[in-house]
Amino acid sequence: MADEIRFDDDTTPAVAATKVRELLGLGTGPIYNLVAVLADAGISSVELETSLGIDGAAGVVNGHPFMFVALDRPADRVRLTCAHEVGHIVFGDCDDGRVPSEEGPTEDRAFDFGSHLILPHERLVEAFRGRSFLKLVKTKEEFGISVSAMIYRAREAGEISETLAARLWKDMARRGWRRDEPGNVRWERADELESHIEVLLHESGWDWEQIEHAAGIPREQLQIRLDRAMRRSGFGGPPTGSEEDYLEGDEERSGVIPFRSQPDR
């Protein structure tokens, strides 16, 4: 399906993301396993170790879209990376052998698309209704998108003011939460290659020599990838903070960031 979905430059990222959700039958709820949904739609994802300092990359080969995802990134960052790479694909940034730009309008459009794909606008509005930081954290855990990304989106959409956004970011920075946010997001593994190896070994009767030849990757590296995939946890690390962090109390002790009332928004 993914190789047939394309949008022109006149389509906004929000509209494109809504259309993709409709085509995939996702509604406006959380996408619990984005990597699996993309694989079902025809976009293969592979995890790679890289020294390039990038989170991921997308391309189209012989009409088949694919993406690479860097290892050892936070779970919410992996999800946004994947969704953003889908933006490059559906807007044709990878067609004809092109490599998407790492900055500029096409990159901004892809990230905007990715954010809307993970969290539809109406659900973003719900997250900020009531001015509860705890609700933002719960939305993060439900939809798999960072609180920082939600604040940025809400500010850009005019759902919160510049003043409130700056205040929230300042409070998060003071608590060290710009680097290590509270809230746990489920890990999603881009291990389609490893799954194929298992099927070939255990169901299709292939041996390692055949797999090595077909993949063009040395057997030792394939075995390392398969072993790593088998040992990896299906979920992210323990939640940041403790239950006590979310209890009412002194602001300096509590993990809760108050929105505080303000006249404009």
Side-chain angles (χ1 to χ4, degrees):
M1 179 184 294
D3 56 351
E4 302 173 354
I5 302 174
R6 288 295 183 276
F7 299 102
D8 56 34
D9 292 339
D10 293 330
T11 306
T12 68
V15 169
T18 299
K19 184 63 175 178
V20 169
R21 273 181 162 267
E22 290 175 354
L23 291 172
L24 298 179
L26 299 174
T28 62
I31 305 175
Y32 291 110
N33 192 330
L34 180 61
V35 170
V37 168
L38 297 180
D40 289 342
I43 303 178
S44 300
S45 304
V46 178
E47 289 185 344
L48 290 177
E49 294 184 35
T50 176
S51 59
L52 298 178
I54 61 175
D55 288 348
V60 178
V61 175
N62 296 326
H64 181 73
F66 67 94
M67 67 177 66
F68 298 109
V69 182
L71 284 168
D72 304 322
R73 300 295 196 270
D76 59 309
R77 189 164 162 180
V78 169
R79 284 174 60 84
L80 185 55
T81 294
C82 290
H84 136 262
E85 298 299 351
V86 175
H88 282 307
I89 292 170
V90 299
F91 276 102
D93 299 337
C94 308
D95 291 350
D96 304 318
R98 286 177 290 170
V99 178
S101 172
E102 294 183 14
E103 57 185 21
T106 57
E107 184 74 348
D108 293 341
R109 178 177 65 185
F111 269 112
D112 197 15
F113 169 89
S115 177
H116 279 87
L117 182 64
I118 295 174
L119 182 67
H121 181 73
E122 56 265 45
R123 307 308 291 268
L124 175 72
V125 173
E126 290 177 12
F128 280 88
R129 189 171 294 136
R131 298 294 189 261
S132 165
F133 190 84
L134 180 57
K135 189 171 184 178
L136 294 185
V137 174
K138 289 183 176 180
T139 301
K140 170 185 176 175
E141 293 184 324
E142 183 181 9
F143 283 85
I145 188 170
S146 71
V147 173
S148 293
M150 284 188 276
I151 295 173
Y152 176 84
R153 271 266 307 280
R155 184 197 66 181
E156 292 296 295
E159 296 297 332
I160 63 174
S161 69
E162 293 275 353
T163 302
L164 177 54
R167 183 177 296 147
L168 290 171
W169 274 323
K170 182 179 178 180
D171 282 346
M172 288 180 66
R174 178 168 56 86
R175 299 167 187 272
W177 288 354
R178 291 298 300 274
R179 180 180 295 273
D180 187 15
E181 289 186 0
N184 191 35
V185 176
R186 181 185 183 277
W187 275 104
E188 297 175 13
R189 310 310 326 190
D191 54 9
E192 189 175 2
L193 174 61
E194 290 82 356
S195 296
H196 284 317
I197 292 174
E198 274 203 300
V199 170
L200 290 174
L201 282 173
H202 303 303
E203 295 186 17
S204 300
W206 285 40
D207 58 30
W208 276 109
E209 184 176 353
Q210 291 173 298
I211 294 174
E212 181 180 43
H213 177 74
I217 301 174
R219 171 178 175 173
E220 292 77 13
Q221 292 186 23
L222 290 173
Q223 288 178 316
I224 289 172
R225 293 185 64 92
L226 183 58
D227 180 63
R228 181 192 292 136
M230 293 292 289
R231 288 185 289 105
R232 280 189 302 235
S233 169
F235 294 85
T240 302
S242 64
E243 181 179 356
E244 186 179 41
D245 289 332
Y246 299 103
L247 299 178
E248 293 182 2
D250 180 73
E251 181 184 338
E252 293 300 321
R253 289 188 298 102
S254 172
V256 176
I257 291 182
F259 274 78
R260 302 189 183 95
S261 61
Q262 58 177 29
D264 51 354
R265 280 189 178 274

